[in-house]
Amino acid sequence: MPWLSLLRPGDYLVVLCGAILCAVSFSLVWQEGRAEKAVVRRGGEVFAELDLSRDRRVDVPGPLGTTTIAVESAHTRVRVLSDPGAHQYCVRQGWLDRAGQIAICAPNEVSVEIVGSGKTYDSLSY
Amino acid sequence: MTRSVIKLVTTPEDHCIARLAAAAIGLALIEVAIPLPLPGVKPGLSNIVTLIVLARYGWRVAAWVSGLRVIAGGILLGQLLAPGFFLSLTGALFSLLALAGAIRLPKRWFGPVSWSVLAAFAHIGGQLVLARLWLIPHNGVFYLAPIFAVAALVFGIINGLIAAQILTGHQMSGSR
């Protein structure tokens, strides 16, 4: 490789440091998105805060009936198990496992949102 | 009314700087035509010129070439005093500071690739700080940091290699 002859010994060191910096920046950003707990709201008010490290099932009474929310600690994730709403959007959304994700059962006025160490976004635009 | 003639006295060094800056501006303009997936991720081809100037004429001339490139590039792209211009300016300032340090590293061990990578990281670091403080005052900008860091590393290495290649070619033709 003729290109390799252009590199001096210290250059490898600098490139290695740069690669480490890249890896560190990736891990830092991913760390921040880690899910820690789920906040369940009913009618806009906090109904329960669920620790994602313990399996739990919560029944939330709403105007239409009961919305059931389940935590799976093995994967630190949460989902809406059942909901009386007509379209079942929040149920079909499936598992939520990253900070910032939210499932809203609008007809029954129940929502479950994951919060992590830092406040994150459900989307970014520029 | 008397006619007055304004004559700027220019030195050969000024001409040299102008020529090199023109090359850098040309590369900066070409670069805009290259489609890239994310705004802000650019190869920074004009930095090849900065690196070569740094090696051959020293930091002061490199600072001139870099500064002229940012200002003239801003005028030509219609970006002067727009946010993008200040991002380039900050990036150029930070990478010049990094280069001022890098040029003092022992030449036997650290070559243009080191300078280029260090300058690229300083460039993106400065831009992220400016973006955080001024354009997007929220920690959300740091979500793009890993992508920028990888781009800085990759393009830093490539630009450094190109500069090193051109510099060795020069030394060889000069010694003949």
Side-chain angles (χ1 to χ4, degrees):
Chain A
M1 272 292 286
W3 288 102
L4 280 182
S5 65
L6 297 169
L7 285 165
R8 295 174 206 176
D11 293 344
Y12 290 103
L13 189 72
V14 171
V15 169
L16 183 71
C17 289
I20 291 169
L21 196 67
C22 289
V24 167
S25 69
F26 266 106
S27 68
L28 279 180
V29 165
W30 284 344
Q31 195 93 42
E32 212 164 323
R34 206 176 53 194
E36 283 179 355
K37 60 177 182 173
V39 176
V40 180
R41 287 191 180 82
R42 188 190 56 184
E45 281 165 16
V46 175
F47 177 83
E49 292 197 352
L50 308 177
D51 186 355
L52 293 184
S53 59
R54 277 190 309 164
D55 279 320
R56 237 184 115 179
R57 198 170 283 205
V58 180
D59 292 325
V60 189
L64 297 182
T66 306
T67 300
T68 307
I69 288 159
V71 175
E72 192 187 81
S73 61
H75 297 96
T76 56
R77 57 187 189 172
V78 66
R79 70 167 168 168
V80 178
L81 205 63
S82 68
D83 179 67
H87 299 293
Q88 299 285 304
Y89 290 137
C90 57
V91 178
R92 286 155 70 184
Q93 201 168 341
W95 291 107
L96 312 178
D97 58 2
R98 287 186 63 82
Q101 287 184 327
I102 185 167
I104 303 169
C105 306
N108 209 25
E109 295 178 18
V110 174
S111 75
V112 54
E113 182 184 11
I114 295 197
V115 288
S117 46
K119 181 78 181 162
T120 58
Y121 307 90
D122 52 355
S123 69
L124 277 175
S125 61
Y126 47 79
Chain B
M1 209 175 96
T2 52
R3 269 199 202 162
S4 68
V5 177
I6 299 170
K7 183 152 168 51
L8 286 172
V9 183
T10 54
T11 63
E13 194 197 21
D14 294 337
H15 291 254
C16 176
I17 289 173
R19 252 198 313 276
L20 293 162
I25 293 160
L27 285 173
L29 291 181
I30 289 168
E31 191 171 84
V32 177
I34 302 172
L36 286 157
L38 198 85
V41 175
K42 286 202 294 183
L45 296 174
S46 52
N47 295 320
I48 298 168
V49 177
T50 312
L51 290 170
I52 295 166
V53 171
L54 181 74
R56 294 183 63 198
Y57 303 98
W59 187 83
R60 204 181 63 86
V61 180
W64 266 109
V65 169
S66 182
L68 283 172
R69 188 255 302 164
V70 169
I71 293 165
I75 293 170
L76 288 169
L77 295 170
Q79 283 259 324
L80 193 66
L81 306 183
F85 168 79
F86 287 105
L87 283 173
S88 318
L89 189 65
T90 313
L93 279 176
F94 273 73
S95 42
L96 281 171
L97 286 175
L99 287 174
I103 194 79
R104 285 179 171 78
L105 291 169
K107 300 271 188 304
R108 226 176 93 77
W109 301 98
F110 298 95
V113 176
S114 290
W115 308 343
S116 179
V117 170
L118 290 171
F121 274 106
H123 191 274
I124 199 60
Q127 290 189 327
L128 275 175
V129 168
L130 180 77
R132 171 65 184 82
L133 292 178
W134 177 45
L135 295 173
I136 310 164
H138 197 287
N139 284 334
V141 285
F142 294 120
Y143 278 76
L144 295 172
I147 299 160
F148 288 145
V150 171
L153 183 65
V154 172
F155 292 129
I157 293 170
I158 294 172
N159 289 346
L161 284 173
I162 295 171
Q165 173 70 55
I166 294 170
L167 282 166
T168 50
H170 255 284
Q171 275 159 14
M172 272 152 62
S173 64
S175 63
R176 259 181 224 148

